[in-house]
Amino acid sequence: MTTSSQMRHRRGTRDRQAHRLKAFIGFVVCFAAIIGIWQLVTTGYDDGGLAPTPAASWQRLIEVLSTALVYNPPNDFGIVFHLLASLQRLAVGFVLAAVAAIPLGLVLGTNRVLHDALDPIIQVLRPVSPLAWLPVGLALLRDSEATAIFVIFMASLWIILINTIDGVYRVNPLYLDLAKTLEATWANRTFKVILPATLPGIVTGLRTALSTAWLVIVAAEMIVGNRGMGTFVWNEWNAMNINSIIVAIVIIGVVGLVLDRSIALLHRLIPTT
Amino acid sequence: MRNQLVSSSKTQAGSIEIANITKGFQRRGGAFHQVLGEISCTVADGEFVTIIGPSGSGKSTLLKIIAGLETPDQGGVYLAGQPVTAPSRRLGVVFQQHVLLPWLTAKQNVLFALEANGTSARTAEERNELAEYWLEQVQLLDAQDLKPGQLSGGMQQRVGIARAFALESDVLLLDEPLGALDALTRHDLQQQLVYLSEHESRTFILVTHSVDEALLLSDRVLVLSAGPAAVIQQELHIPFARPRDRQTLEQSPEYLELRRHLLDALTRGTQEQKMGMQPIADGRK
């Protein structure tokens, strides 16, 4: 019995290893194919050398990374400072949105009348691109930095709000019956029953909102920023340096992935069964 | 008998009166579904009463109304003469599913019940001792720091039972507390419930569809008719002396007689309904 279970275990490990190897080979093949197609499309393309080739982009990546820590105000910043500026705006706008949306979501989730009263407004504002708020921010705040944060705030707010409300609706109704039979106080009911039970919905909201905000910050910074990943992309475009934009795309993608994965870790902290 | 001894004493804190209640629901599409016909009964302080009925007969709805979680369409429920209008800590509930908060440990779940209403006559240390006492009563003291997800189904329900007892409510309402458990665990927990109910002078109202559970635990069994518009079709006094022992109980001819009678009453209800409503179903049986 032991030997057969050991054999089964070993076979399972072997199957997993074989699967990983196959997936890795597949990845290498696909990656090489993409680079190859990229090379084919861009070489001999008569555009005055604008189109980024894989080799030139790689070259530029090395350059950008080697000057990553340059700090010569007001105009010459390494990529690290652009990245930090974007992350800082993201953090401020995102945290402000979470602070506003989570309590509001808990209130609307537990108060049907208030929810139904505000729902039409939320539903109309939700599908609006956060960038549409940018001129409103500029007009009212008269400050490009505050406007960028405002845009991030608007990008995150509705997603966190709607997911929090949905999370409250998904709370096991028996938990609420339990709270009633125990004559739980408002504070105990809210903070010891509803809030922990809503956390999965809140984390889903935070995760989606952060991804969306990261999408939006680059676009917003192209217009209002004096430093940031969006500004970097815009400056390099003005310098006709398309290789840099490929570099920026890779960096934005990697940072976005890291942000998403780190907030997804919050899911593990919540027991749900 | 125990219930008579207790009810003859002065305290009536746990007496329940159910007066002419009815309950129905509006179904999607508009048809009105009468779940409970007119139901009246009284439960004396310290009595163990079981409500038994075929599935769908509205037993759980009746228990929810007694607990104050549902409002009857007509009539009312009175606890010690006072109308029950909302759930109350004087009416403890053991739910069908365990309903433990998964982010709290077993002990924290019991403590939450003791502290949820914000006021307590006890100090933190006394509450702690009380929680440990009740976890010990259900043999879970060793598991007190485990989260519900780390406990088996039977252990989870034992925490739910410990929590309800720790409330020290006058009345305990048990809504098919063992229904979701496997046969062996259920057997074991029935034994524990007999022990606990015989050592605690409280009023118990149990909802179940298990005839053996009803006979083992109750002083009195109320049999609901098959719904819709279920009514109490029979009332049986269970005369066995306490403390009860399952082995001796199950060997007595009186037990077998009562069991047969009860099963008869339960199946007659459903068969009549089936014959009346869907005659084709007979062929499948």
Side-chain angles (χ1 to χ4, degrees):
Chain A
M1 229 172 79
T2 339
T3 42
S4 80
S5 85
Q6 273 172 351
M7 271 167 67
R8 225 178 300 135
H9 178 75
R10 233 176 283 151
R11 198 169 58 218
T13 317
R14 213 171 45 231
D15 286 351
R16 270 197 301 282
Q17 281 170 345
H19 172 81
R20 279 200 206 125
L21 186 67
K22 278 185 218 162
F24 180 72
I25 292 170
F27 165 74
V28 171
V29 169
C30 291
F31 188 73
I34 288 168
I35 301 288
I37 293 167
W38 179 9
Q39 179 73 33
L40 281 176
V41 171
T42 50
T43 45
Y45 192 74
D46 186 19
D47 59 353
L50 258 188
T53 61
S57 300
W58 177 255
Q59 190 70 38
R60 183 65 189 142
L61 178 65
I62 304 293
E63 274 171 39
V64 166
L65 292 182
S66 61
T67 59
L69 292 169
V70 169
Y71 187 76
N72 289 325
N75 291 321
D76 188 10
F77 298 110
I79 191 76
V80 165
F81 294 100
H82 286 293
L83 193 57
L84 283 178
S86 292
L87 287 173
Q88 193 196 342
R89 285 188 194 105
L90 182 78
V92 175
F94 179 72
V95 168
L96 286 176
V99 166
I102 295 171
L104 186 61
L106 289 175
V107 170
L108 296 187
T110 46
N111 188 327
R112 202 88 214 192
V113 175
L114 212 54
H115 173 266
D116 289 354
L118 280 176
D119 194 50
I121 301 171
I122 296 171
Q123 295 305 330
V124 167
L125 292 181
R126 185 174 68 120
V128 175
S129 162
L131 290 170
W133 290 99
L134 198 143
V136 180
L138 278 177
L140 294 178
L141 302 168
R142 309 202 172 212
D143 176 66
S144 63
E145 192 60 37
T147 301
I149 289 168
F150 173 65
V151 169
I152 293 307
F153 177 84
M154 295 310 279
S156 313
L157 184 73
W158 311 113
I159 300 173
I160 303 176
L161 181 63
I162 283 164
N163 277 284
T164 305
I165 294 171
D166 191 55
V168 176
Y169 286 169
R170 283 165 191 267
V171 172
N172 185 344
L174 288 170
Y175 293 169
L176 303 178
D177 279 354
L178 174 73
K180 280 187 210 156
T181 62
L182 296 175
E183 294 184 57
T185 60
W186 178 86
N188 277 337
R189 190 177 115 90
T190 307
F191 296 111
K192 295 197 174 162
V193 180
I194 295 175
L195 181 62
T198 307
L199 277 179
I202 293 175
V203 172
T204 303
L206 291 177
R207 196 176 164 185
T208 322
L210 193 67
S211 302
T212 310
W214 187 239
L215 292 180
V216 168
I217 187 80
V218 176
E221 283 170 348
M222 284 191 193
I223 304 171
V224 295
N226 58 356
R227 211 195 302 165
M229 288 309 290
T231 319
F232 175 80
V233 168
W234 194 245
N235 289 345
E236 297 296 306
W237 159 245
N238 285 328
M240 290 285 164
N241 205 345
I242 310 299
N243 294 325
S244 300
I245 293 172
I246 301 294
V247 170
I249 287 171
V250 171
I251 292 172
I252 291 166
V254 169
V255 172
L257 176 71
V258 171
L259 286 174
D260 186 60
R261 283 299 139 94
S262 43
I263 209 152
L265 289 179
L266 288 176
H267 272 302
R268 293 204 193 156
L269 300 178
I270 315 155
T272 46
T273 41
Chain B
M1 244 166 35
R2 191 180 71 114
N3 58 324
Q4 281 160 353
L5 275 175
V6 180
S7 57
S8 64
S9 73
K10 276 175 198 163
T11 50
Q12 290 292 315
S15 70
I16 294 264
E17 190 192 349
I18 297 161
N20 311 317
I21 62 170
T22 63
K23 181 72 180 177
F25 295 102
Q26 201 73 41
R27 276 206 178 128
R28 271 177 202 276
F32 188 76
H33 178 62
Q34 188 75 40
V35 180
L36 298 175
E38 203 170 282
I39 290 186
S40 296
C41 67
T42 55
V43 178
D45 187 58
E47 196 180 10
F48 197 127
V49 170
T50 295
I51 300 165
I52 195 167
S55 56
S57 60
K59 322 183 273 293
S60 288
T61 307
L62 180 55
L63 201 76
K64 278 194 152 185
I65 291 172
I66 301 171
L69 288 165
E70 295 263 10
T71 326
D73 294 340
Q74 283 171 43
V77 175
Y78 301 88
L79 168 62
Q82 299 294 311
V84 176
T85 51
S88 141
R89 290 174 73 83
R90 296 175 63 195
L91 296 158
V93 181
V94 178
F95 295 89
Q96 188 168 1
Q97 290 146 337
H98 58 82
V99 202
L100 301 176
L101 301 176
W103 47 88
L104 300 179
T105 64
K107 188 178 172 182
Q108 286 168 338
N109 264 288
V110 179
L111 283 172
F112 176 71
L114 297 174
E115 294 160 357
N117 65 337
T119 56
S120 178
R122 294 188 175 81
T123 64
E125 202 176 321
E126 285 168 343
R127 290 196 296 268
N128 202 44
E129 273 170 22
L130 190 65
E132 281 178 8
Y133 170 77
W134 281 107
L135 284 169
E136 196 180 4
Q137 290 297 302
V138 294
Q139 288 102 48
L140 276 180
L141 204 53
D142 294 338
Q144 58 173 318
D145 293 323
L146 296 181
K147 298 260 170 76
Q150 296 166 293
L151 303 173
S152 69
M155 290 162 98
Q156 289 169 341
Q157 194 52 285
R158 267 145 68 195
V159 179
I161 290 167
R163 173 175 66 189
F165 274 93
L167 262 183
E168 303 195 313
S169 54
D170 306 316
V171 180
L172 264 177
L173 306 172
L174 305 121
D175 183 8
E176 294 189 49
L178 313 179
L181 304 174
D182 65 272
L184 278 174
T185 314
R186 193 183 315 153
H187 187 274
D188 182 42
L189 274 186
Q190 282 167 355
Q191 210 65 50
Q192 292 202 18
L193 274 180
V194 172
Y195 176 85
L196 289 173
S197 63
E198 285 176 351
H199 285 77
E200 289 287 312
S201 60
R202 304 187 195 188
T203 309
F204 293 86
I205 301 180
L206 168 74
V207 157
T208 183
H209 50 236
S210 158
V211 169
D212 291 306
E213 201 168 294
L215 290 174
L216 178 65
L217 288 162
S218 327
D219 297 318
R220 192 149 56 98
V221 176
L222 306 173
V223 186
L224 287 188
S225 63
V231 293
I232 297 173
Q233 57 153 328
Q234 277 197 34
E235 185 182 339
L236 284 176
H237 285 270
I238 312 300
F240 307 116
R242 290 179 188 273
R244 284 181 185 169
D245 172 66
R246 189 196 291 264
Q247 246 93 44
T248 20
L249 215 62
E250 285 177 355
Q251 278 159 13
S252 80
E254 208 179 357
Y255 178 91
L256 294 174
E257 177 61 29
L258 276 168
R259 188 174 192 280
R260 202 178 49 76
H261 184 84
L262 209 48
L263 274 173
D264 222 39
L266 282 169
T267 47
R268 198 186 330 122
T270 47
Q271 268 161 12
E272 271 164 16
Q273 187 201 21
K274 274 199 182 125
M275 306 268 272
M277 288 181 72
Q278 17 170 224
I280 311 155
D282 275 7
R284 271 187 255 149
K285 275 240 154 173

